Amino acid sequence: QQPLPSQPPGRRQPQQPRVPPSVSEEPGGHGRQRGSQSVPQGRNGRRPEGLQISAGFQELSLADRGGRRRDFHDLGINTRQAIEHVQESKTGSSGIMVKLTTNYFRLTSRPQWALYQYHVGYSPEMEARRLRSALLFQHEELIGKTHAFDGSILFLPKKLGKKVTEVFSRTRNGENVKITITLTNELPPTSPTCLQFYNIIFRRLLKMLNLQQIGRNYYNPSDPISIPNHRLMVWPGFTSSILQYEESIMLCTDVSHKVLRSETVLDFMYSLYYQVEEQRFRDACAKELIGLIVLTKYNNRTYRVDDIDWDANPQCTFRKADGSEISYVDYYKRQYNQEITDLNQPVLISQSRRRRGTIMPGPVVLIPELCFLTGLTEKMRNDFNMMKDLAVHTRLPPEQRQREIGKLIDYIQKDDNVQKELRDWGLSFDSNLLSFTGRVVQGEKILQSGNVFNYNPQFADWSKETRGAPLICAKPLDNWLLIYTRRNYDTANTLLQNLFKVTPSMGIRMNKATMIEVDDRTEAYLRVLQQSVTPDTNIAVCVLSSSRKDKYDAIKKYLCTDCPIPSQCVIARTLSKPQTAMAIATKIALQMNCKMGGELWSVEIPLKQVMVVGIDCYHDTLSGKQSIAGFVASLNQTMTRWFSRCAVQGRGQELVDGLKACLQTALRDWFKWNNYLPSRIIVYRDGVGDGQLNTLVNYEVPQFLDCLKSVGKDYNPRLTVIVVKKRVNTRFFAQCGGALKNPPPGTVVDVEVTRPEWYDFFIVSQAVRNGCVAPTHYNVIYDTGKLKPDHVQRLTYKLCHMYYNWSGVVRVPAPCQYAHKLAFLVGQSIHREPNLLLSDRLYYL
Amino acid sequence: MDKNFQEEQFTGVIKFTPPLYKQRYQFVKYLVGKYKPKKVADLGCADCTLLWMLKFCSCIEVLAGLDICTSIMKEKMYRLSPLPVDYLQPAERSLTVTLHHGSVAHKDPCMLGFDLVTCIELIEHLEESELKKFPEVVFGFMAPSIVVISTPNSEFNPLFPGVTLFRHPDHKFEWNRVQFQSWALETARRYDYSVEFTGVGHPPTGMENVGFCTQIGVFVRKHPQTSESAQSEKPTEGVYKTVFKAVYPSLKDEKYLQNAVVSEVIFTAQIIKRSLLDCVVSEHEEYNDDPTERKSKFQPSMNCFSDNLGKLVVEKRMEPFVNGHVVYIPLTTIFSFPKVNQLCGTFEKLRKLIAGKVTLSSDGSAVMFNTEHENEEN
């Protein structure tokens, strides 16, 4: 968890907009000056951005110095070396073989390839990076045309004659400068520095292909997909990263789609203005805009909107680097010929998180009229029609996806400049996607009250097979409330009748509900709940007339905190279709049963005395204030009952402190249920961002261990911590005859595309109807459990069958999905920790 | 430590604000503002900073850069690529940016037809032989309407303590004002240009007699070029190598215009459709206890559309209507919207551009939407 910047956004006197420093303050040496300055130069207050390659380099050199740049690939964190039993092998064994293709290309280099790293020193010392490069490259005949230099570190594909080379250059002041080029490192292809270097080179290649960089990925703007109904434009593009994988260094590339909007932030504000009442306008803007990424009209940068300053406008002034004051209007007119027409618009504030060159991070001021929106807002994501229109273009079936991925290698192989660059560095890429063999593990049988259900493993769904079968544990509906508005009386009544029809076969005993009619106002619902909920109430069911969130939030908040009983909200429209009414009633009955502490089904779990924990986080992007960690732990052997708690973490607080408390209570409850403590604890940790692995390994895991130690002197359970990642760029395609299909559920991959320094594997657990299935990545970062890799993989897959809100296999182990649900409910609606009286039930489903 | 060192080195030394290189570029921008050239070439474009600044000048449609060194051009040339936003909102003007590798001592037909050619701090880097050929190539061959040449003024050099011979080791010469001006006048005379002298970088008070730090000559061709006259002995073969080329999306390009029009038509039609349907819905759901807020929210926008349509309704007797599940929005209505109107110019053009891209009614007079399958939720 990265602490949020504490600096408040600039008010009134907005600070220097760091938007436009693409004009280097150093004169771009003209004519044949080779990048050095004309004589009378101002002291370079800001250093220029330098070579593109150097921008990437800075990361590298900073990281070398233990800097704070985030490494998205979690390089250099070797967790496998500490796990004794997987030193030899980390692969599983069960299942049948399946031929797979994946979106990876091997990087090949000529034999004995190495990268030579030199340190370049100047005497007398030269400060400006530009000057340093200019002086160095006066000796191109020595260094060669292929090089990468960031001001002090020089990379060459060849070795210079001597270990230390001294050359002399002359500045325009006639000053003689001694340059010492010292070989500091001969980097093997697999060294972390080399890997970062490949990535930098690869980005250079993508630029050569005229792809546009937006954020971390590259997109092809020349052939956009336009969705005019929603003013959206979709650019096809690629994600790419080059890393050391199990056997070789490979490029992992996937198709990515960037959603852009052909309207400015100002346009958006105007259209919003017509949609909401005046007094809600500012709030609505904040709600829709904060957290979005914008593109500016004048440079190729993206910014995250962190705040809107309504007190400022484009006529406000700021101080330029040379000390002069200028208004935004004048600045953009003069610098970029950009006309700002609306002088009363507010300004957007973006807290830059990254150091750019020598510029310290600080608020950046942006003008709405000059910013374009990218991505989707929450509102758009909830727009079913829009998402449907988008999916047509973005969800590619396996064959098509593979073709699109292949295009990138095609581009690379057909472009002469790109080929030349690669040749100069002595690198090349395989032209074929990597193929290898994976395993499909055996499907799980669903156990429900003495019945054993088989189902088609291809669909990973057993809703049909188990329909109407008795549940493991059915909770009676003796005393329950059904609350509805007058308009929905019929709907509520139909629901009641349907529940009477579907519950008997499940074994749920049901009395008629206490039917209560309310006005369609939040207060009315709350008043009824206050009056009617008694200690004996099993559950309160509310039929809502619209999907308006405030009503839902208020009901959930009240029934999860002040008056802790399970509740079920359902929108009237969902119930209104006669053809689906029974299926919906069945689903609601099951969900209500879980919320009251019932159990639906189980799978065979051979491990004993094990407590499985799931953790996921919800980040409040809106207010940027708090994060919520949902924590779920199994209470019984069959993993059908779960304890839950959540940690609400304020700004600047560490999440793990809350998690410790959660684990303590979970162990206490486990003891109450079982009369002994678990001898094994397996934690599935979801919600870990790219580059945060380090924090987890060095901070969170030790805290867990600490917490376990505090339980008792001789309590020494085995602990396994597994990081779960849903967002990965890896895709697998199964070769079926001549065609490529999604791999079947239960596909496990623990070779080739895993990382040698980790104990990790992929599982495809779910089935998808359209598009490509995304495998889930599991990384065992700590393990004193000594379970065989095969058993860990099997257990993980089994747990994906245990999520009660879906009669099928899900993407992550059930505890993670439960933790996600809990964190989402608390983060979205409740905003504080729910009452612990509910903690042994799945009330958050 | 390093910082102090630098500061010390520069205290008491003349410092220009804004920096001198910026003042030179600013001067070029000023010329561009004054003469509004469509085609501009920068000779000795180095890291393309000047070209990058010029790409924002809306009068320029063709920008070219030439340099003898490719690596310095390549360093930052991607700054000259179109930005994502240029694709999102294609500009009215067209713009092509090209970078060439080559020498100012050689002729290449790709440099013909320019309005303005800039040579900022270039000539002092030329070897004697190259300098000799330079006037013939630039003034004789390229023969643009305007040439601007800047070069150091050596009379200023004594004010720089460190400078013994030249300001930069690669300089082959540095001229005083008389030397530059006599060269410039002679060149102008020979190729029939007029020349005016100015400069940037004012000397400190009391030292005015040394003149500007950078001296500048602005050459203007006296007679409009008759296209044939200069063409006679032009080599047809190119000797420059193209290093980079970027064609900016522009509405002048049919493809982008069509995209823009289709997007705008569908978006406009959607707004009208939505407001129409909202009207219908609110009529049907009077008994509804909830959506009161919704209705009041959308009615004003409906009014605003009726205003917009008012005049057309009278003229054409056509307005958007709903028939069962199908919504019809007359093209005339859509054409009356300012953005669509501005993009297409004529109604015929609108028809032509959206043909085959937007679903129209059978007689082609209205945009048609089928609303049957909308609003289906999971």
Side-chain angles (χ1 to χ4, degrees):
Chain A
Q1 201 52 40
Q2 300 250 318
L4 289 153
S6 54
Q7 202 174 355
R11 292 266 171 204
R12 280 284 164 207
Q13 176 65 282
Q15 300 177 23
Q16 162 85 43
R18 278 150 236 270
V19 197
S22 358
V23 207
S24 51
E25 291 289 314
E26 292 291 336
H30 227 77
R32 300 185 200 170
Q33 271 170 261
R34 305 271 158 90
S36 54
Q37 306 85 338
S38 59
V39 187
Q41 54 160 24
R43 205 165 50 72
N44 45 320
R46 287 191 252 159
R47 231 171 308 160
E49 296 279 283
L51 317 173
Q52 297 152 16
I53 184 150
S54 311
F57 253 54
Q58 279 174 348
E59 299 172 15
L60 188 139
S61 34
L62 269 172
D64 284 350
R65 294 178 212 133
R68 55 203 169 141
R69 270 285 316 178
R70 206 150 108 177
D71 164 25
F72 293 111
H73 303 302
D74 296 306
L75 284 175
I77 301 164
N78 190 334
T79 42
R80 187 178 172 183
Q81 65 190 5
I83 308 173
E84 234 169 85
H85 67 288
V86 291
Q87 292 307 303
E88 286 290 301
S89 160
K90 65 174 188 191
T91 54
S93 51
S94 55
I96 52 164
M97 297 301 168
V98 60
K99 278 222 161 270
L100 298 175
T101 299
T102 182
N103 54 333
Y104 288 67
F105 296 94
R106 260 197 210 98
L107 174 74
T108 48
S109 51
R110 56 168 182 258
Q112 274 97 48
W113 187 93
L115 189 64
Y116 299 93
Q117 181 180 343
Y118 291 88
H119 175 265
V120 183
Y122 295 81
S123 165
E125 190 57 60
M126 296 285 132
E127 163 92 0
R129 194 167 80 190
R130 275 197 87 83
L131 182 56
R132 291 165 74 105
S133 337
L135 293 171
L136 179 65
F137 295 126
Q138 288 180 17
H139 302 280
E140 202 168 66
E141 74 290 350
L142 172 76
I143 291 158
K145 279 199 187 309
T146 311
H147 49 68
F149 182 55
D150 80 338
S152 67
I153 302 172
L154 173 72
F155 288 110
L156 296 178
K158 62 167 191 180
K159 202 171 179 175
L160 297 180
K162 284 181 281 180
K163 198 164 183 288
V164 181
T165 312
E166 283 184 3
V167 289
F168 289 87
S169 290
R170 211 152 150 258
T171 69
R172 75 238 162 254
N173 296 350
E175 193 178 3
N176 277 318
V177 180
K178 185 169 90 180
I179 304 177
T180 314
I181 308 168
T182 316
L183 181 69
T184 51
N185 233 334
E186 208 166 300
L187 299 161
T190 54
S191 71
T193 314
C194 241
L195 287 167
Q196 269 172 320
F197 177 79
Y198 297 141
N199 283 290
I200 293 166
I201 293 290
F202 196 73
R203 289 154 74 105
R204 228 194 222 182
L205 302 182
L206 293 172
K207 270 197 178 165
M208 282 184 174
L209 293 168
N210 278 324
L211 296 178
Q212 289 267 349
Q213 184 180 10
I214 302 178
R216 268 194 264 166
N217 303 328
Y218 284 79
Y219 298 91
N220 183 359
S222 56
D223 211 8
I225 303 155
S226 158
I227 307 176
N229 291 9
H230 311 289
R231 280 214 158 168
L232 294 181
M233 209 179 263
V234 179
W235 284 6
F238 302 99
T239 67
S240 78
S241 64
I242 299 173
L243 285 178
Q244 169 74 50
Y245 293 97
E246 211 65 61
E247 310 289 340
S248 48
I249 298 167
M250 292 192 280
L251 162 70
C252 170
T253 178
D254 191 23
V255 179
S256 165
H257 290 96
K258 190 76 197 171
V259 176
L260 299 163
R261 296 204 250 160
S262 26
E263 59 181 350
T264 65
V265 175
L266 187 65
D267 291 339
F268 181 81
M269 285 175 153
Y270 268 110
S271 67
L272 201 60
Y273 186 76
Y274 289 114
Q275 283 174 39
V276 302
E277 303 101 272
E278 178 97 42
Q279 70 270 24
R280 291 216 305 121
F281 174 58
R282 289 185 179 193
D283 279 349
C285 277
K287 208 174 156 208
E288 291 289 330
L289 290 171
I290 289 177
L292 282 191
I293 305 294
V294 296
L295 273 172
T296 51
K297 261 185 170 178
Y298 41 84
N299 65 14
N300 196 7
R301 294 238 176 92
T302 48
Y303 301 88
R304 181 183 187 274
V305 178
D306 291 308
D307 200 3
I308 303 171
D309 188 349
W310 296 94
D311 298 326
N313 64 52
Q315 291 177 88
C316 290
T317 60
F318 68 96
R319 197 176 291 283
K320 287 211 295 178
D322 63 14
S324 60
E325 286 264 327
I326 188 166
S327 71
Y328 295 111
V329 190
D330 292 342
Y331 177 81
Y332 287 107
K333 173 73 199 152
R334 208 167 295 170
Q335 190 76 27
Y336 300 106
N337 204 32
Q338 296 289 341
E339 218 63 74
I340 296 174
T341 53
D342 186 331
L343 297 178
N344 296 315
Q345 59 190 308
V347 302
L348 309 175
I349 309 288
S350 178
Q351 303 285 350
S352 90
R353 253 137 257 212
R354 226 194 285 175
R355 264 176 80 107
R356 297 193 196 275
T358 49
I359 307 164
M360 290 304 285
V364 172
V365 172
L366 303 164
I367 309 294
E369 196 177 344
L370 302 180
C371 295
F372 277 73
L373 291 162
T374 74
L376 299 170
T377 60
E378 204 51 45
K379 204 166 137 196
M380 295 163 97
R381 276 181 214 284
N382 292 330
D383 182 337
F384 177 72
N385 290 317
M386 175 178 292
M387 294 312 279
K388 199 174 68 182
D389 290 349
L390 255 179
V392 173
H393 303 287
T394 57
R395 285 220 188 117
L396 307 178
E399 293 259 340
Q400 202 182 339
R401 196 177 197 106
Q402 185 243 12
R403 256 199 314 277
E404 293 294 321
I405 291 166
K407 274 187 189 168
L408 181 62
I409 283 294
D410 245 32
Y411 290 156
I412 287 175
Q413 252 138 22
K414 288 200 181 118
D415 191 295
D416 293 341
N417 289 327
V418 170
Q419 282 301 311
K420 183 172 181 305
E421 179 83 17
L422 278 172
R423 258 198 319 275
D424 288 347
W425 286 106
L427 301 170
S428 67
F429 289 97
D430 244 4
S431 52
N432 292 320
L433 291 167
L434 178 78
S435 291
F436 61 95
T437 318
R439 290 175 289 118
V440 184
V441 300
Q442 191 191 330
E444 293 294 329
K445 291 187 178 73
I446 300 303
L447 315 173
Q448 196 166 314
S449 264
N451 297 314
V452 178
F453 295 98
N454 284 305
Y455 55 95
N456 186 343
Q458 288 288 328
F459 302 133
D461 185 297
W462 50 85
S463 48
K464 281 208 188 71
E465 286 77 1
T466 57
R467 182 168 299 159
L471 308 176
I472 292 180
C473 169
K475 293 283 173 183
L477 284 162
D478 291 331
N479 185 352
W480 60 294
L481 309 176
L482 181 53
I483 303 166
Y484 52 89
T485 60
R486 176 147 53 102
R487 210 165 75 105
N488 292 323
Y489 171 74
D490 288 341
T491 315
N493 223 0
T494 314
L495 172 65
L496 186 65
Q497 296 316 315
N498 288 338
L499 285 174
F500 269 122
K501 283 181 204 154
V502 299
T503 47
S505 65
M506 298 176 188
I508 299 172
R509 188 176 76 227
M510 182 173 129
N511 287 336
K512 189 174 184 302
T514 310
M515 305 278 284
I516 308 168
E517 188 173 296
V518 289
D519 282 346
D520 196 9
R521 284 177 297 112
T522 306
E523 311 81 73
Y525 275 96
L526 287 181
R527 200 174 328 115
V528 160
L529 290 171
Q530 278 156 11
Q531 287 161 356
S532 315
V533 174
T534 67
D536 300 332
T537 307
N538 306 123
I539 191 166
V541 180
C542 300
V543 179
L544 302 175
S545 53
S546 71
S547 54
R548 288 194 37 179
K549 201 169 157 295
D550 45 357
K551 217 167 284 164
Y552 175 85
D553 289 354
I555 294 168
K556 285 293 174 189
K557 191 167 189 168
Y558 178 68
L559 294 180
C560 287
T561 58
D562 303 332
C563 174
I565 63 154
S567 57
Q568 177 75 49
C569 289
V570 54
I571 295 164
R573 195 160 34 173
T574 318
L575 300 169
S576 64
K577 284 191 192 127
Q579 64 270 33
T580 57
M582 276 309 191
I584 300 264
T586 306
K587 224 181 155 289
I588 292 174
L590 292 174
Q591 202 172 348
M592 284 163 62
N593 190 55
C594 296
K595 288 180 174 182
M596 295 184 296
E599 298 157 44
L600 306 187
W601 65 77
S602 70
V603 295
E604 197 206 344
I605 302 214
L607 271 182
K608 308 285 177 245
Q609 300 185 17
V610 57
M611 178 168 97
V612 173
V613 172
I615 301 171
D616 197 4
C617 297
Y618 172 88
H619 301 289
D620 192 344
T621 47
L622 220 65
S623 50
K625 273 181 206 126
Q626 53 181 23
S627 293
I628 284 121
F631 178 101
V632 171
S634 63
L635 287 168
N636 57 358
Q637 157 69 26
T638 48
M639 314 262 172
T640 52
R641 293 297 301 268
W642 300 87
F643 162 86
S644 72
R645 250 195 101 164
C646 69
V648 181
Q649 167 229 7
R651 199 180 260 217
Q653 244 177 310
E654 280 298 338
L655 201 54
V656 71
D657 301 333
L659 291 179
K660 255 172 108 171
C662 291
L663 183 58
Q664 258 155 3
T665 350
L667 287 167
R668 210 174 301 141
D669 266 46
W670 167 283
F671 188 80
K672 265 190 238 157
W673 275 62
N674 301 289
N675 286 317
Y676 57 85
L677 284 167
S679 61
R680 224 181 245 291
I681 298 169
I682 300 176
V683 178
Y684 287 93
R685 173 70 158 92
D686 201 345
V688 181
D690 290 339
Q692 292 183 335
L693 195 61
N694 204 21
T695 321
L696 223 69
V697 172
N698 295 325
Y699 196 60
E700 206 165 294
V701 173
Q703 295 286 312
F704 283 148
L705 292 171
D706 233 33
C707 171
L708 294 178
K709 226 179 260 167
S710 70
V711 171
K713 236 188 269 156
D714 10 284
Y715 182 55
N716 197 11
R718 296 168 166 199
L719 176 69
T720 306
V721 180
I722 304 174
V723 175
V724 180
K725 218 170 197 179
K726 295 185 292 287
R727 283 198 187 183
V728 290
N729 291 327
T730 308
R731 294 290 179 275
F732 300 122
F733 312 108
Q735 300 168 12
C736 287
L740 286 185
K741 291 199 171 133
N742 275 319
T747 301
V748 177
V749 172
D750 49 17
V751 293
E752 295 283 353
V753 292
T754 48
R755 304 257 290 257
E757 74 275 24
W758 291 346
Y759 169 16
D760 62 336
F761 55 90
F762 291 89
I763 298 182
V764 174
S765 46
Q766 79 281 29
V768 296
R769 259 179 296 175
N770 41 30
C772 281
V773 69
T776 304
H777 183 250
Y778 297 92
N779 186 4
V780 186
I781 58 166
Y782 182 86
D783 187 17
T784 51
K786 297 215 162 55
L787 282 177
K788 281 188 193 155
D790 200 57
H791 293 166
V792 171
Q793 293 169 358
R794 291 291 299 277
L795 174 69
T796 304
Y797 183 50
K798 280 171 187 286
L799 288 168
C800 295
H801 292 69
M802 291 301 295
Y803 180 62
Y804 282 166
N805 227 5
W806 182 259
S807 341
V809 196
V810 292
R811 263 181 94 170
V812 292
C816 285
Q817 193 63 25
Y818 287 138
H820 165 77
K821 272 294 229 187
L822 172 64
F824 188 80
L825 175 72
V826 174
Q828 281 264 311
S829 307
I830 305 178
H831 307 295
R832 59 185 160 115
E833 185 163 13
N835 199 307
L836 283 180
L837 286 173
L838 291 168
S839 68
D840 61 351
R841 280 166 277 178
L842 301 172
Y843 65 95
Y844 39 84
L845 273 188
Chain B
M1 175 63 203
D2 296 347
K3 220 165 178 183
N4 290 341
F5 177 71
Q6 271 235 340
E7 260 163 28
E8 241 166 65
Q9 201 180 35
F10 285 101
T11 26
V13 170
I14 293 158
K15 183 182 154 192
F16 294 103
T17 333
L20 197 58
Y21 82 98
K22 273 196 175 175
Q23 292 191 32
R24 287 192 290 260
Y25 293 162
Q26 215 52 56
F27 180 79
V28 174
K29 269 182 93 174
Y30 152 78
L31 282 182
V32 167
K34 187 174 165 193
Y35 293 102
K36 302 258 183 281
K38 278 190 171 172
K39 300 178 80 179
V40 179
D42 185 24
L43 309 186
C45 61
D47 70 351
C48 309
T49 304
L50 179 59
L51 290 171
W52 175 78
M53 286 171 79
L54 292 178
K55 83 165 191 164
F56 293 104
C57 296
S58 49
C59 61
I60 297 176
E61 293 178 2
V62 174
L63 263 180
L66 174 70
D67 207 288
I68 193 76
C69 170
T70 42
S71 64
I72 191 156
M73 275 197 284
K74 279 186 175 170
E75 216 174 75
K76 284 184 167 186
M77 68 184 177
Y78 293 105
R79 289 199 294 176
L80 301 176
S81 297
L83 298 172
V85 168
D86 292 317
Y87 290 95
L88 287 178
Q89 212 179 50
E92 184 55 48
R93 68 146 170 179
S94 62
L95 174 63
T96 306
V97 186
T98 321
L99 295 180
H100 303 284
H101 174 219
S103 158
V104 290
H106 297 136
K107 296 175 185 176
D108 187 299
C110 71
M111 281 292 153
L112 291 175
F114 280 85
D115 301 309
L116 169 66
V117 167
T118 60
C119 311
I120 304 302
E121 306 295 273
L122 167 76
I123 55 170
E124 64 276 11
H125 292 272
L126 301 179
E127 299 285 356
E128 208 181 329
S129 60
E130 294 169 315
L131 183 68
K132 240 186 201 147
K133 292 180 192 152
F134 174 82
E136 172 50 26
V137 173
V138 174
F139 294 91
F141 174 72
M142 298 182 191
S145 326
I146 302 158
V147 178
V148 52
I149 295 176
S150 84
T151 192
N153 166 19
S154 61
E155 293 164 74
F156 202 97
N157 286 0
L159 299 181
F160 300 123
V163 177
T164 45
L165 181 61
F166 298 138
R167 298 181 192 177
H168 187 277
D170 189 53
H171 285 183
K172 309 300 184 300
F173 60 87
E174 278 173 13
W175 281 333
N176 61 29
R177 279 171 292 175
V178 176
Q179 286 169 310
F180 177 57
Q181 289 179 13
S182 60
W183 176 85
L185 287 166
E186 167 55 21
T187 305
R189 189 194 55 74
R190 188 161 359 135
Y191 296 97
D192 207 17
Y193 277 73
S194 66
V195 59
E196 278 179 33
F197 298 100
T198 175
V200 291
H202 286 277
T205 8
M207 309 289 280
E208 285 83 355
N209 58 334
V210 303
F212 289 110
C213 185
T214 296
Q215 44 185 343
I216 299 176
V218 179
F219 301 74
V220 179
R221 205 179 52 221
K222 281 190 188 155
H223 303 291
Q225 194 180 22
T226 52
S227 51
E228 287 311 304
S229 66
Q231 224 82 152
S232 50
E233 39 98 35
K234 272 165 196 172
T236 44
E237 215 179 309
V239 290
Y240 296 168
K241 212 181 132 229
T242 306
V243 175
F244 172 90
K245 183 168 179 175
V247 179
Y248 278 61
S250 153
L251 294 175
K252 294 230 164 67
D253 181 339
E254 188 90 344
K255 175 180 140 193
Y256 290 107
L257 179 64
Q258 183 172 44
N259 271 342
V261 169
V262 169
S263 299
E264 206 53 45
V265 165
I266 294 183
F267 186 72
T268 308
Q270 286 278 349
I271 295 173
I272 300 175
K273 183 194 85 181
R274 223 173 296 140
S275 55
L276 262 179
L277 289 180
D278 278 331
C279 251
V280 175
V281 168
S282 39
E283 276 164 26
H284 285 209
E285 294 189 359
E286 281 311 341
Y287 57 89
N288 188 338
D289 46 356
D290 175 55
T292 37
E293 196 189 347
R294 229 172 112 79
K295 265 188 289 171
S296 59
K297 229 157 58 182
F298 277 95
Q299 250 144 19
S301 61
M302 189 53 207
N303 291 342
C304 128
F305 285 116
S306 330
D307 283 350
N308 221 326
L309 308 179
K311 147 180 90 185
L312 278 138
V313 173
V314 178
E315 284 170 13
K316 309 271 180 188
R317 298 180 186 287
M318 263 189 93
E319 55 183 311
F321 66 100
V322 186
N323 183 4
H325 285 300
V326 185
V327 182
Y328 295 89
I329 300 147
L331 280 185
T332 45
T333 308
I334 289 171
F335 186 63
S336 71
F337 272 68
K339 263 197 175 163
V340 178
N341 196 299
Q342 196 193 329
L343 281 169
C344 300
T346 66
F347 189 70
E348 275 319 300
K349 183 102 190 188
L350 168 66
R351 269 176 185 280
K352 207 185 121 209
L353 286 168
I354 63 170
K357 297 274 175 183
V358 178
T359 319
L360 296 180
S361 58
S362 52
D363 64 346
S365 67
V367 174
M368 221 171 75
F369 283 107
N370 196 324
T371 59
E372 203 170 6
H373 297 294
E374 270 179 37
N375 304 316
E376 264 177 24
E377 279 179 49
N378 30 349

